[in-house]
Amino acid sequence: MVLGLIPARYASTRLPGKPLVDLGGLSMIERVVRQAQQARLNRVVVATDDARILAHVRGFGGEAVLTRPDHPSGTDRLYEAFQQLGSPAEVRAIVNIQGDEPFVHPAQINALVDFFADERTAPDIATLVTPVRNEEELFSPHLPKVVLNQRQEALYFSRHPLPYQRGRAPAEWLAHHRYLRHLGLYAYRPAVLARLTQLPVSALEAAESLEQLRWLEAGYAIRCAETELDAFGIDTPEDVARARQRLATGG
């Protein structure tokens, strides 16, 4: 059994009540749930800190649990939700689906589900990467980059372009190397998720503000699947406007 969990907080500095924002007649969180339900997940549950989101999800027929409001990260909220569901032993993988990405594609979720088809070869943690397409993406600190080893495991994540190309101007980097950036969709073995929530903030995580560096520093391998499908996260009113335009034009 593969469980899909969607963390959804009400509080947001730039966009309060973000999960309930209307996008073409459906709330953002409903769109995420509907997309996740099309993937090869046995169960999809929203993990929220707010009774309004809880009632809304249950109102459109979705499943949701109410978690504590003071979790330091979505990973901690996920684990509490899993515990509230009774930590079912038949769950072999938990997929963490971002609650602010209404255009998440079922194929992206399935790429992670596939890693856990065989328990003998399943990774501890899996995530998605996609090619960097232009210079703006390459140098944006809001789009973390990742370098992989030959087993398709992450070596490092950074908000800075990786690798640095000695002897070449930054404007030439993309022409001479295939860069990858990280998409924030994760899958974990349940026992690994439990251990991740016990790890203290690491030095690299504090420097880059990237939680996955905590896991690498602790010695966990993160397997990566590559996708050509992009992510569309919503953080600001401007992002909402772009999403509505995308829906209006059938994108």
Side-chain angles (χ1 to χ4, degrees):
M1 175 179 177
V2 180
L3 172 66
L5 291 178
I6 306 172
R9 292 176 61 247
Y10 189 89
S12 171
T13 303
R14 291 180 288 182
L15 193 60
K18 181 165 64 171
L20 302 180
V21 166
D22 181 270
L23 297 174
L26 295 177
S27 68
M28 179 162 61
I29 192 62
E30 182 170 358
R31 288 193 176 277
V32 177
V33 169
R34 299 302 181 208
Q35 292 296 99
Q37 288 174 335
Q38 296 178 55
R40 291 195 302 274
L41 298 169
N42 302 96
R43 190 176 180 185
V44 176
V45 182
V46 174
T48 184
D49 63 348
D50 191 272
R52 290 164 287 190
I53 297 173
L54 181 78
H56 174 71
V57 173
R58 290 177 175 175
F60 65 70
E63 187 176 2
V65 294
L66 190 65
T67 62
R68 288 174 19 218
D70 58 345
H71 285 301
S73 72
T75 306
D76 297 285
R77 192 174 312 284
L78 243 64
Y79 186 57
E80 187 198 340
F82 181 60
Q83 290 175 305
Q84 286 199 38
L85 295 172
S87 304
E90 65 270 22
V91 173
R92 68 177 185 272
I94 297 169
V95 182
N96 178 354
I97 302 156
Q98 299 299 318
D100 59 1
E101 295 195 4
F103 302 106
V104 62
H105 198 285
Q108 294 176 310
I109 298 171
N110 290 340
L112 298 185
V113 172
D114 288 344
F115 278 134
F116 296 86
D118 186 338
E119 292 191 13
R120 296 169 299 178
T121 59
D124 286 340
I125 309 169
T127 194
L128 288 182
V129 299
T130 193
V132 171
R133 294 170 175 82
N134 53 57
E135 196 171 321
E136 181 182 358
E137 289 185 358
L138 182 62
F139 291 99
S140 170
H142 306 296
L143 302 176
K145 269 58 72 175
V146 58
V147 288
L148 309 180
N149 64 21
Q150 294 180 352
R151 296 186 299 275
Q152 294 300 106
E153 296 168 342
L155 288 170
Y156 192 73
F157 299 85
S158 180
R159 297 185 182 278
H160 190 277
L162 289 174
Y164 174 87
Q165 293 190 45
R166 184 179 179 185
R168 287 198 175 100
E172 301 175 1
W173 287 2
L174 204 54
H176 293 276
H177 184 80
R178 187 171 181 269
Y179 286 85
L180 297 171
R181 66 181 180 88
H182 180 231
L183 301 182
L185 194 69
Y186 295 101
Y188 328 80
R189 290 178 182 263
V192 171
L193 178 60
R195 295 197 294 271
L196 295 181
T197 63
Q198 303 303 310
L199 296 173
V201 175
S202 71
L204 292 175
E205 176 190 8
E208 296 253 22
S209 191
L210 294 173
E211 184 183 17
Q212 61 269 37
L213 291 176
R214 182 190 315 186
W215 311 337
L216 287 183
E217 280 195 84
Y220 288 94
I222 303 176
R223 189 90 55 82
C224 297
E226 186 172 327
T227 177
E228 292 293 330
L229 297 166
D230 205 350
F232 189 136
I234 293 181
D235 292 311
T236 67
E238 291 75 23
D239 293 335
V240 173
R242 289 193 301 120
R244 288 173 176 160
Q245 178 64 28
R246 176 170 172 170
L247 288 167
T249 56

